[in-house]
Amino acid sequence: MLEYDVVVVGAGLAGMRAAIEAAKASKVTVLSKVHPVRSHSGAAQGGINAALGPDDSTESHAFDTVKGSDYLGDQDAIEILCREAPDDIVELEHMGTVFSRDANGRIAQRPFGGAGFPRTCFAADITGLVILHALYEQMLKTGIKVFEEWVVTSLVVDDNKIRGIIAIDMRSGRLEAIKAKAVVLATGGCGPVFHNSSNALISTGDGMSLAYRAGAPLMDMEFMQFHPTTLKANGVLITEGARGEGGHLLNALGERFMARYAPQKMELASRDVVSRAEQTEIEEGRGIDGCILVDLRHLGARKIKERLLQIRELAIDIAGVDPIEEPIPVRPGAHYSMGGLKTDVSGATLVPGLFAAGECACVSVHGANRLGGNSLLETIVFGRRSGKAAGEFAASVAAPAFPESAIRDADARIEGILKRDDGEKGYALRRELQETTHENLGIYRTAGRIQRCVEKVTEIKERYASVIVQDKGRIFNTDLVSAIETGYLIDLAQAMAAGALAREESRGAHSRRDFPSRDDDKWLKHTLAYWTPNGPRLDYLDVTITKWPPAERSY
Ligand SMILES: Cc1cc2nc3c(=O)[nH]c(=O)nc-3n(C[C@H](O)[C@H](O)[C@H](O)COP(=O)(O)OP(=O)(O)OC[C@H]3O[C@@H](n4cnc5c(N)ncnc54)[C@H](O)[C@@H]3O)c2cc1C
C-alpha cells in the first residue's frame, strides 16, 4: 500500500498551494480527477483581491467583505484573509504569475462588485489559468508526486481519526489505497447541484460529501451564489470584470435598471443584489427571452480586445454575439458555494487530521454572499495555511493503522453498482435533481417550494439506492464515476434544502419571499449540517464578530 504523510485531494489552486506548503514539513502527494491545469480554478476570469494601493487598506477590504457577507462571515477569518492578501499576491508574482500592469508598470487593479476600491488584480480575463500554471510549475519544482486521473471515492476514518483515502485509478480501473497521517481536501465547488451552473462538470462536491458522510459537518450550505451574468445556453460565465471595466446592464426597454436597486454602486453592487434585480426585471416582463443584456459597446474595440478577449470569444462562439457590435444576453446562474466543510483558520475540520481548503471549505470568509475576487484569494491564503497545518500535524503524529476492511467495503460498493441491472440511470436522476433545485431552490425561495425540493430530493435519494450504469467495465469507466458523483450531489442538495427551509429570514444569497428581512435576533448564526442515514441533522454556531457589528446593508 502507498504511504504518505499528507495526501492532498485536488490540484486546483487551493490543493497545489496547500501541497507546496505541506511539503516543507512532510512527504506529500496530490491526487486529481483531471490534469492539474484542467481544474476549475483555470476558468476563473476576473481576478484576485488584495489591498495593494497606497490609498486602499486591508481594513477597508475586510469591511467590504464583512458587509458583502451580510454579516454572516466570521470576522477573525476575514481579517486574516485581507491582512495576508498583499504578501500572497507578491509571492504569486515571484512564483511567476504575470499580472496585467497599469500605466506606471505596477500591478493593475480593476473595480469589482461590493468593493469600495479598485482592488482586483488580474491577468487580462484568464487570471485563474495564469496562477494555476505558476503553481503547477512550483509544484513540479518541489518534486511532489501527482496521481492524475485518480478519483477519490472514500475517506478512511477510524476511531474519529483520518487513516487515508481510497481512489479509483481511472486508467487501470483498480482501487488503490493510500495510508496517510493527514488529508487535505481541496476538491472545489458543487455548482452542478443546480441546472446550467457556471462550474465545470467535475465540480461535484466530492470532498464536501465524503467528509460529511465521514462525520465532519457542513456549514451554511443554503447559501449558493447566483452569478448575475451567465450565458443562457449552458451557464458559461461572463466575468464580473466585464462590469468592472465599465459594462452596463440593460433591460428590454434599454434602461440601466440597476438605478432602481442600487443607485450608488449600480452594476457593481454585490452579486446577490444584482442577481435579484435581474430576476425581478425578468419576472416583471422587462427581460428578453428570459435574459437581460450586458452592454460593452461603449468600451470600444481596443479595450474589449485587450482586457476582455476571452469574454468576446465565448460570446461569439456560444451566444453568436460580438460584444463590440451587440450587447450579450445573460441571466443569473448557480456559481459558487459559500457553504462547505466547517474549518478553523488553519483549515482543520472537526475530524482530527482532516483539513479542507478552497471552495470545498467554509472558514467562513464569505458568509451569506461572496465578493468577486475573494475566492481565488481564499484558495491561496487558506490553501497555504491548511498546507502548513497539515504538514506540521503529520510531522508530529505516528503513522496510523489502516483498516484493510475499508478496501473490501469500497470494492463491494463499486461491484454492487456495476453488477446491478435493475434500477435507474445515474444521469437521469441527476437531471431530476437539477430540475428540482433550479425550480424550487433558486434566487427567490418560499417555504412551500423549499419543502417540495426537500421531498423530491428525499425521493431521488431513495431511488438512487438502486442506481445502474451501462458501462460494466472497470477501465476508464466515466459512467461509473458520474453515477458516484450524482450520489454526492444528492447528499449536498439535501443539506442545502434543509438549511434553507429552517432559515426563516433573507440574508445574502438566501432570499425568502415569505421572510423578506434579515433577522439578526434569530438568525445571526451559522448552520451546521451533520450527516445521518435519515437526512441532515441541523445545529447552529455563533458568528464571530470582532470590529463590525451588523448594520443595514445598501449599495
Ligand atoms: C467560471 C468561473 C469563474 C470564476 N472566476 C473567479 C474570479 O475571477 N475570481 C475569484 O475569486 N473566483 C472566481 N471563481 C471561483 C473560484 O475560481 C473557485 O472557487 C476556485 O478556483 C476553487 O478552487 P479550488 O482549488 O477550491 O477547486 P478547483 O479549482 O475546482 O479544483 C478542484 C480539484 O479537485 C479535484 N477533485 C475533485 N474531486 C476529486 C476526487 N473525488 N478525487 C480526486 N480529485 C478530485 C479536481 O480534479 C481539481 O483538481 C470562478 C469560478 C468559476 C466556476
Side-chain angles (χ1 to χ4, degrees):
M1 187 187 306
L2 292 164
E3 188 172 340
Y4 285 87
D5 294 329
V6 180
V7 172
V8 178
V9 186
L13 291 180
M16 290 203 282
R17 188 64 194 84
I20 292 166
E21 204 65 23
K24 293 178 181 167
S26 285
K27 190 178 165 208
V28 179
T29 186
V30 174
L31 274 68
S32 176
K33 288 209 264 202
V34 294
H35 185 280
V37 300
R38 305 279 304 173
S39 301
H40 185 63
S41 293
Q45 303 163 344
I48 175 166
N49 295 340
L52 298 181
D55 301 328
D56 198 3
S57 70
T58 56
E59 181 105 349
S60 157
H61 184 186
F63 170 70
D64 290 343
T65 304
V66 170
K67 179 178 167 189
S69 83
D70 219 348
Y71 294 88
L72 191 70
D74 283 322
Q75 297 182 9
D76 54 343
I78 291 174
E79 286 189 62
I80 290 173
L81 177 83
C82 301
R83 205 184 314 126
E84 298 186 357
D87 284 350
D88 272 322
I89 294 293
V90 171
E91 188 180 33
L92 284 178
E93 176 155 83
H94 291 177
M95 285 178 171
T97 307
V98 185
F99 287 110
S100 294
R101 320 304 293 194
D102 65 15
N104 300 318
R106 296 183 189 281
I107 293 177
Q109 294 185 286
R110 57 170 53 128
F112 246 47
F117 208 82
R119 65 168 74 94
T120 304
C121 313
F122 56 95
D125 58 358
I126 52 166
T127 313
L129 192 69
V130 173
I131 306 176
L132 200 59
H133 277 266
L135 287 189
Y136 184 55
E137 287 165 10
Q138 295 300 317
M139 192 170 69
L140 291 182
K141 193 170 101 182
T142 58
I144 293 168
K145 168 77 186 158
V146 183
F147 293 96
E148 285 163 31
E149 297 181 327
W150 278 41
V151 181
V152 175
T153 56
S154 308
L155 292 179
V156 182
V157 175
D158 194 29
D159 195 19
N160 197 38
K161 286 195 192 74
I162 195 79
R163 311 286 168 153
I165 59 95
I166 295 172
I168 305 177
D169 173 358
M170 292 298 283
R171 266 166 278 196
S172 68
R174 271 202 312 270
L175 277 187
E176 303 282 355
I178 307 183
K179 185 167 155 178
K181 297 179 191 172
V183 170
V184 182
L185 295 170
T187 52
C190 57
V193 165
F194 290 80
H195 184 58
N196 266 6
S197 99
S198 68
N199 288 192
L201 286 175
I202 57 165
S203 301
T204 43
D206 305 16
M208 291 181 190
S209 225
L210 287 170
Y212 173 51
R213 291 171 186 177
L218 292 166
M219 188 155 95
D220 295 338
M221 289 302 287
E222 61 270 34
F223 297 99
M224 168 58 71
Q225 177 163 84
F226 294 89
H227 193 290
T229 56
T230 69
L231 295 177
K232 186 180 178 188
N234 52 9
V236 162
L237 192 77
I238 296 299
T239 174
E240 186 164 308
R243 284 170 284 139
E245 295 292 347
H248 294 160
L249 294 176
L250 306 179
N251 63 14
L253 308 173
E255 296 169 326
R256 279 180 75 188
F257 58 86
M258 283 310 297
R260 271 198 289 285
Y261 304 90
Q264 282 163 23
K265 288 274 181 189
M266 295 290 287
E267 282 85 357
L268 289 177
S270 190
R271 285 183 183 170
D272 55 332
V273 175
V274 181
S275 285
R276 271 195 297 277
E278 291 180 1
Q279 189 68 19
T280 305
E281 291 294 305
I282 293 167
E283 287 179 10
E284 291 181 357
R286 292 184 295 279
I288 302 150
D289 200 15
C291 289
I292 52 88
L293 302 171
V294 189
D295 191 0
L296 304 179
R297 289 172 297 181
H298 56 285
L299 302 182
R302 182 154 171 221
K303 191 165 189 182
I304 293 174
K305 285 182 183 168
E306 189 185 303
R307 291 272 164 99
L308 300 166
L309 185 61
Q310 185 188 204
I311 290 311
R312 178 169 180 238
E313 283 173 4
L314 291 171
I316 292 173
D317 291 349
I318 299 168
V321 164
D322 183 347
I324 293 175
E325 314 281 342
E326 279 177 273
I328 316 169
V330 292
R331 64 174 186 185
H335 177 60
Y336 182 86
S337 171
M338 267 76 71
L341 292 163
K342 191 230 166 328
T343 71
D344 66 12
V345 294
S346 301
T349 68
L350 298 191
V351 173
L354 182 61
F355 297 79
E359 192 169 339
C360 74
C362 182
V363 183
S364 116
V365 288
H366 310 301
N369 171 69
R370 166 176 81 85
L371 293 188
N374 267 355
S375 169
L376 290 187
L377 178 62
E378 179 192 17
T379 64
I380 302 300
V381 171
F382 289 98
R384 171 173 52 71
R385 293 176 72 94
S386 60
K388 180 169 193 292
E392 288 171 358
F393 174 88
S396 71
V397 296
F402 190 100
E404 293 287 336
S405 61
I407 306 176
R408 283 196 302 276
D409 293 348
D411 204 47
R413 239 175 354 106
I414 285 174
E415 271 301 303
I417 299 177
L418 289 173
K419 285 215 176 102
R420 192 178 302 127
D421 286 320
D422 202 14
E424 292 181 79
K425 290 177 186 136
Y427 64 82
L429 292 171
R430 187 187 292 206
R431 170 156 299 197
E432 271 190 53
L433 178 80
Q434 290 169 334
E435 276 165 9
T436 187
T437 49
H438 181 75
E439 247 181 69
N440 300 314
L441 205 59
I443 293 187
Y444 286 115
R445 301 166 172 181
T446 58
R449 289 221 162 187
I450 307 171
Q451 184 60 39
R452 221 176 297 161
C453 184
V454 168
E455 286 161 17
K456 185 71 190 173
V457 180
T458 310
E459 177 212 305
I460 292 171
K461 185 166 168 135
E462 280 162 17
R463 287 157 55 200
Y464 177 81
S466 53
V467 68
I468 57 168
V469 292
Q470 282 169 300
D471 182 350
K472 303 290 184 187
R474 281 272 188 166
I475 293 174
F476 237 99
N477 191 338
T478 50
D479 192 12
L480 172 68
V481 170
S482 165
I484 294 172
E485 291 169 341
T486 298
Y488 302 145
L489 295 175
I490 294 171
D491 276 10
L492 298 178
Q494 273 197 312
M496 285 179 191
L501 187 60
R503 186 175 284 275
E504 295 186 332
E505 66 159 352
S506 289
R507 183 187 297 270
H510 173 66
S511 196
R512 292 273 304 247
R513 282 225 153 99
D514 43 356
F515 296 94
S517 311
R518 195 175 84 196
D519 183 350
D520 288 330
D521 289 340
K522 287 198 194 126
W523 290 103
L524 183 59
K525 54 190 180 184
H526 298 293
T527 306
L528 293 179
Y530 288 87
W531 189 90
T532 83
N534 307 318
R537 175 177 68 77
L538 301 184
D539 197 358
Y540 293 92
L541 189 71
D542 286 344
V543 173
T544 306
I545 310 267
T546 56
K547 290 190 185 148
W548 300 280
E552 202 194 324
R553 181 170 170 256
S554 64
Y555 287 99

